[in-house]
Amino acid sequence: MKTRLWLIAGLILLTINLRAAITGMTPLIGNVQEALTLSDAQVSVLATLPVLCLGLFAWLAPRLAHRFGTHAAVCAALGVVALGAAVRAVPWPAALFAGTVLSGAGIAVGNVLMPALIKDHFAQRIGLFTGLAMTLMAVSGAFAAGVAVPLCTAIGWQPALAVSAVPAVPAAAVWWLLAVPGARGRHRRSQPQPQMRPPSAPRTAGGSGGPGGSGGSLLRCALAWWVSAFLGLVSLMFYLLVAWLPQIMHASGYTPGEAGLMMAVMLAIGIPLGFVVPLVAARMRSQRPLVGAVIVAKLISLAGLLLAPAHGWVWVCLLGAATGGAFPLAITLLGLRTDGPRAAADLSGMAQTIGYLLAGLGPLATGMLHDATDGWRVPLVALIALVVPEAVAGLLAARPGHVRPGSREEKPAQRTASRADGQLVRL
């Protein structure tokens, strides 16, 4: 029981560190640019770098977990987040970029392993703990963004950037305690057992081959691709809107203050949905009705922004419900479509690599499309068109089943969770 409470505390501390280092830097970019005399090109790279890092380093997480154990990998990831936050506060451009990469890498590993931890230790409560994680990520991210400027005014931009290292240190300490041999017990299921694998055996979802490996690669599993595509397209849409919605609404006749408030409202609506949607999704054998609701809401709200911008508040609120429900649903599918923690880690690594690389490149491409067409009508049409592949991927990912590495087929899901759901797939 005590170990389980430590695991819950560790999960809470992990999730509050998976957004703050990113969202806390964005409001301070202007101050940093002025202090370090950065060019506009450097600032653009700095703004895009955190999201790109989430994709570039996501593939590493399953390999670290398979090699050293999930708890140890999470501990190391949180340590890297703290180190990166401290390094980027050094008043030197190279340190700023290096620290940003380090923080992004640590967050990427934590992002990927969080669904695997929930699948491993809370398999019978996937919806509850995924909802809790999504809510804490959203709240901590919003809090970090909200206090960044006041902190900068009070103590300067360097301490304001470094402050995100503070919650990462106790989080790393908790996961270190869970990872050391003395903490071993019935909850230590996430540690690898390589001695039980025959040397010639092909790697599977629990093997260190991971998504990019051979034999047991998820790249040959159709369901894994649909889940990855859905998460990728959902992430792409979200970060496109985060980057450009204020400018879209300002171009539609709203003041900069109103446009910024619309953005805040869209994000705030997603906070309660981040808790509710995983709970509902976990109780359903097929999540297609939820996917359908998200898709319809996105189509109506985006079409409204394009055709009737005078009712912008209505469309922004509906868009907040759509985006606020889509991302938690996609994350929940990582646990629901796998039959063990290692498969969840591999699928999460594959999906988040694809998703965040798309999300990192999408805002840049959308900005270029705006510049080429001298307006937002064509980009909005492109966003509406983007909903179509998202709908296809989501409906196929929401079918009952479990990913099976190395096959284009998937194993049928059972209506009730088996006792093995919470056990380590020992290889």
Side-chain angles (χ1 to χ4, degrees):
M1 184 62 182
K2 288 183 178 180
T3 304
R4 189 170 180 83
L5 291 176
W6 276 107
L7 287 166
I8 294 173
L11 180 65
I12 291 172
L13 288 169
L14 170 64
T15 53
I16 65 175
N17 282 282
L18 294 182
R19 287 295 178 271
I22 295 176
T23 59
M25 185 177 72
T26 303
L28 303 181
I29 285 183
N31 302 80
V32 175
Q33 181 180 18
E34 181 180 355
L36 300 181
T37 61
L38 301 178
S39 67
D40 290 340
Q42 287 175 309
V43 170
S44 298
V45 171
L46 186 63
T48 307
L49 197 55
V51 179
L52 285 178
C53 285
L54 297 185
L56 290 172
F57 292 99
W59 66 273
L60 187 61
R63 290 158 173 79
L64 291 174
H66 299 165
R67 177 66 180 86
F68 302 105
T70 307
H71 297 173
V74 170
C75 174
L78 289 164
V80 171
V81 171
L83 176 63
V87 168
R88 71 183 182 181
V90 176
W92 183 35
L96 174 67
F97 285 92
T100 301
V101 170
L102 285 172
S103 292
I107 291 172
V109 173
N111 273 342
V112 171
L113 296 183
M114 183 265 292
L117 289 168
I118 293 173
K119 183 72 176 182
D120 189 3
H121 299 296
F122 311 104
Q124 305 303 321
R125 296 289 186 270
I126 287 178
L128 173 63
F129 283 96
T130 302
L132 176 64
M134 294 294 98
T135 303
L136 289 172
M137 286 169 63
V139 171
S140 61
F143 178 79
V147 302
V149 173
L151 278 176
C152 179
T153 303
I155 59 179
W157 68 268
Q158 292 170 261
L161 280 182
V163 76
S164 58
V166 174
V169 173
V174 169
W175 284 104
W176 179 80
L177 290 174
L178 289 168
V180 295
R184 294 190 180 189
R186 66 187 184 91
H187 290 288
R188 286 275 297 158
R189 296 179 300 230
S190 59
Q191 297 303 310
Q193 300 291 334
Q195 69 274 17
M196 301 183 68
R197 182 202 301 276
S200 60
R203 298 192 183 276
T204 65
S208 59
S214 59
S217 173
L218 289 181
L219 296 176
R220 295 181 60 190
C221 177
L223 180 57
W225 275 106
W226 292 126
V227 174
S228 299
F230 183 55
L231 178 60
L233 291 166
V234 163
S235 301
L236 174 61
M237 179 72 74
F238 176 78
Y239 282 102
L240 284 175
L241 291 169
V242 167
W244 297 115
L245 182 64
Q247 287 85 342
I248 292 173
M249 302 315 299
H250 181 51
S252 298
Y254 295 89
T255 67
E258 288 175 317
L261 183 59
M262 286 178 168
M263 181 70 200
V265 168
M266 187 190 81
L267 295 176
I269 289 174
I271 292 176
L273 288 173
F275 183 77
V276 173
V277 170
L279 278 175
V280 175
R283 295 177 179 271
M284 305 171 71
R285 185 167 183 264
S286 169
Q287 292 73 37
R288 286 184 168 185
L290 292 177
V291 173
V294 164
I295 294 304
V296 170
K298 283 188 177 182
L299 286 173
I300 293 174
S301 55
L302 290 172
L305 291 178
L306 177 66
L307 302 175
H311 304 288
W313 277 106
V314 175
W315 312 130
V316 166
C317 290
L318 185 58
L319 195 58
T323 57
F327 184 73
L329 175 59
I331 293 294
T332 306
L333 289 176
L334 298 176
L336 297 179
R337 295 287 88 88
T338 52
D339 57 5
R342 292 198 171 190
D346 284 340
L347 180 59
S348 182
M350 175 179 174
Q352 295 197 47
T353 297
I354 294 171
Y356 285 115
L357 287 178
L358 278 174
L361 297 174
L364 178 61
T366 304
M368 294 173 64
L369 185 60
H370 166 264
D371 292 341
T373 59
D374 196 27
W376 288 108
R377 293 188 65 83
V378 174
L380 280 172
V381 170
L383 287 179
I384 294 172
L386 196 63
V387 178
V388 176
E390 181 181 325
V392 173
L395 292 172
L396 290 172
R399 296 180 301 172
H402 289 152
V403 298
R404 184 167 64 185
S407 172
R408 294 186 180 276
E409 302 176 355
E410 55 270 358
K411 295 182 285 186
Q414 298 179 4
R415 287 182 180 272
T416 57
S418 67
R419 293 180 66 184
D421 272 347
Q423 301 299 321
L424 170 65
V425 180
R426 296 192 183 277
L427 302 174

